[in-house]
Amino acid sequence: MPATATSSGPLPTNPSALIDGRPLRVLVAHNRYQLPGGEDAVFEAELALLRSAGCEVGTFETSNAGIDTWRARISAATGATYSFEGRAGMARAIARFQPDVVHVHNLFPRPGPAIFDACLAAGVPAIWTLHNFRLACPQATLFREGRSCHDCVGRLPFAAVAHGCYRGSRLGSASVAGMIAFHRLAGTWRRKVSRFIVLTEFARSVAIEAGVPAERIRVKPNFARDPGSGERERCGAVYVGRLSAEKGVMTLIEGWRSVGDIPLMVVGAGPERLALQRIAPPNVRFLGQLPHDDVLKVVGQAQALILPSLCHDNFPLSLVEAMASGTPVIASRIAPLDMLVRDGVDGALFTPGDPADIARTVVRLFGQPALLRQLGLGARESWARAMEPQANLAQMLSIYREVCAP
């Protein structure tokens, strides 16, 4: 678990990136997923943003590579409760880089919450961005058996064990539930993490129910760089994301049978891909996993992004990138999507899990090209107001300075 560091170069011009007259030193920790997704992209984007501000940035990275069998997954989940290897790795990274603050993204299943003990022992404040709902739900999605599920929110998550929520395994679920329960009862969230960053007010409410002190939570959305939103030829709709049950793509494809000849591009990979391809009409194309720049191009050429989530999708990066591109978002009316998309302003909402309502909404909007263009302008304005990089940088540096203040 090596830690690497990169120097910022010139002295920062942003006063918030300075501490005691020198550049702020930030050690950023992240465990990469086997299939790169939104959290990996946010990690990379925030590294670049901090470096652009003149911060000195080091990384402590691990990976889920090799956790590819059910035995390996259960072993990793079991080890996540308290990893002495993870704690030692973080201690070495801190000793080598000497950060002012540690900023953690994904830590499951490795290196695990034990890294916060290393931060505490070194006297370095730790900040943790909660990209999902793992502290309240072993599955991390608040989703079970085709519906939103809050059975474990606000209580020890042992209902998940009975249902085998984590990868369909009661043993694996018991391991993850044990990790959550151990650290909640041990006071890890209350005593060892200086600040938690959540992406929405909905996520804030879930974190509080999961035992996170309200006064330590800060809401900071995801952001996207400006891809430009000038006049361009646009055609059809696009879905970007994992092809799995909680994302509602099956409902989307079922609804697409009734939208006429409107094309749909499906970008992403996942366990439902083959089943989706079998039922998809001819105007649906599956593009698979694409490089990030290619994804941005596809999104920027679409008339709308579709987010048919059945779960509480926690501020998808595809939504931010669509709005930055001036592409309106058509999404499920479910929290927090119904807080992020303003119906009639920067997109439209439909009933989650209802193919007929998806079809009605799509046909209505695509039948009014001028309205779609107006919603695209609204999407671009929403991005500029709350999701552009510099505003996000100011929020992030403000949080860092809260915990670094003498």
Side-chain angles (χ1 to χ4, degrees), residues 131-133 140-143 147-150 199-206 209 246-247 307-316 319 331-341 349-353:
H131 291 280
N132 55 43
F133 303 107
T141 58
L142 301 178
F143 183 82
R147 62 175 181 84
S148 171
C149 173
H150 289 240
L199 309 181
T200 64
E201 288 293 340
F202 174 77
R204 181 179 185 274
S205 67
V206 173
E209 288 192 76
E246 74 277 6
K247 296 296 187 177
L307 289 175
S309 299
L310 302 177
C311 66
H312 298 288
D313 220 343
N314 196 23
F315 218 127
L319 179 150
S332 295
R333 188 179 285 103
I334 185 172
L337 293 180
D338 60 357
M339 305 173 188
L340 302 174
V341 177
L349 299 170
F350 56 83
T351 305

Side-chain angles (χ1 to χ4, degrees), residues 318-377:
S318 59
L319 179 150
V320 187
E321 292 172 339
M323 290 190 171
S325 299
T327 303
V329 179
I330 303 173
S332 295
R333 188 179 285 103
I334 185 172
L337 293 180
D338 60 357
M339 305 173 188
L340 302 174
V341 177
R342 294 179 294 165
D343 204 338
V345 176
D346 50 26
L349 299 170
F350 56 83
T351 305
D354 187 340
D357 199 30
I358 290 178
R360 281 192 297 268
T361 304
V362 169
V363 169
R364 173 176 63 84
L365 293 178
F366 276 74
Q368 304 176 74
L371 174 58
L372 269 182
R373 287 193 293 271
Q374 186 62 39
L375 294 176
L377 293 174

